[in-house]
């Protein structure tokens, strides 16, 4: 539909299309939680009661679907970053946010690996999640750096790759629930500023 400026706006979805989208999204969350993000898209369509063509009309590829599934967690991480920006301890705020990021990235098996690769692939639908995450993390890192609480050369891209790596390592060691905290503690030790 053209506006007076000549720009186009997306037409609202029909009620049945909205219902299909919501069913697909709900089933994707369930199937990804059960089987990881490499789970069968055909299974998601079947559980939703639609054909695979309907799934692809709403989600042209797996990363588009993962992006939609991750939106709630993304919003939560962004809200948490805003809350933590008011914390008295910038270093603790950064550490707490990185811990929350690890938890979110580890929620669906395969998500951390996909986020790692999407951070280098701007054509991926999942890269839409990476930009606001980088910005939120960067604001906490800059604050910690300004307080002298972390190394001057620490980069948010490196930290997010490390935290994705921690989530990925934790996927591979489900019998060791303390692993993410141990690995994050090592990462945080490496962030300490050089004292001389």
């Amino acid at each position: 539909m053209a506006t007076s400026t000549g720009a186009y706006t997306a037409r609202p979805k029909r009620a049945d299309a909205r219902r299909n989208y919501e069913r697909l999204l709900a089933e994707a969350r369930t199937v990804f939680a059960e089987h990881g993000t490499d789970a069968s898209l055909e299974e998601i369509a079947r559980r939703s009661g639609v054909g695979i063509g309907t799934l692809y009309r709403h989600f042209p590829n797996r990363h588009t679907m993962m992006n939609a599934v991750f939106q709630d967690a993304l919003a939560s991480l962004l809200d948490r970053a805003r809350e933590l920006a008011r914390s008295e301890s910038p270093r603790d705020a950064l550490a707490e946010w990185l811990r929350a990021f690890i938890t979110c990235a580890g929620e669906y098996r395969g998500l951390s690996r996909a986020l790692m690769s999407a951070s280098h692939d701007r054509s991926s639908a999942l890269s839409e999640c990476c930009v606001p995450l980088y910005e939120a993390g960067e604001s906490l890192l800059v604050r910690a750096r300004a307080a002298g609480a972390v190394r001057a050369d620490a980069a948010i891209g490196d930290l997010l790759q490390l935290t994705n790596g921690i989530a990925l390592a934790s996927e591979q060691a489900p019998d060791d629930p303390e692993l993410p905290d141990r690995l994050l503690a090592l990462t945080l030790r490496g962030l300490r500023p050089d004292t001389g």
Side-chain angles (χ1 to χ4, degrees):
M1 172 189 316
T3 64
S4 59
T5 62
Y8 284 86
T9 57
R11 287 192 325 206
K13 289 182 181 177
R14 295 184 334 246
D16 61 329
R18 278 194 314 274
R19 281 191 302 274
N20 285 342
Y21 178 87
E22 292 302 326
R23 264 198 319 266
L24 284 161
L25 197 51
E27 289 302 334
R29 285 186 183 107
T30 301
V31 171
F32 286 170
E34 291 172 1
H35 305 290
T37 57
D38 290 335
S40 164
L41 297 183
E42 288 81 5
E43 173 70 6
I44 293 169
R46 187 189 62 72
R47 287 190 185 194
S48 301
V50 301
I52 193 68
T54 298
L55 180 145
Y56 282 119
R57 272 194 298 281
H58 290 287
F59 304 102
N61 57 51
R62 183 177 301 276
H63 278 186
T64 305
M65 180 171 275
M66 289 169 65
N67 182 34
V69 166
F70 192 55
Q71 287 305 304
D72 289 340
L74 174 63
S76 175
L77 282 169
L78 298 179
D79 287 345
R80 191 68 185 123
R82 283 188 287 275
E83 291 168 13
L84 289 167
R86 297 186 296 272
S87 170
E88 288 183 24
S89 170
R91 180 179 164 74
D92 291 346
L94 178 63
E96 188 172 331
W97 189 79
L98 292 173
R99 189 171 286 109
F101 180 87
I102 291 166
T103 300
C104 284
E107 188 174 348
Y108 300 106
R109 191 176 66 249
L111 179 59
S112 55
R113 184 179 62 245
L115 286 170
M116 287 174 91
S117 59
S119 68
H120 299 293
D121 179 4
R122 295 291 171 220
S123 67
S124 166
L126 253 184
S127 70
E128 293 173 23
C129 293
C130 295
V131 172
L133 283 172
Y134 272 65
E135 290 170 354
E138 179 71 14
S139 67
L140 293 171
L141 178 60
V142 165
R143 195 167 166 259
R145 217 186 279 126
V150 298
R151 303 169 57 105
D153 62 348
I156 194 59
D158 294 342
L159 284 177
L160 291 181
Q161 289 291 67
L162 282 167
T163 51
N164 268 314
I166 291 170
L168 187 57
S170 300
E171 273 180 28
Q172 305 304 312
D175 296 335
D176 187 357
E178 305 302 318
L179 182 63
D181 286 332
R182 289 196 316 271
L183 294 177
L184 182 59
L186 285 170
T187 300
L188 294 172
R189 260 183 245 136
L191 274 178
R192 289 184 185 144
D194 293 326
T195 55

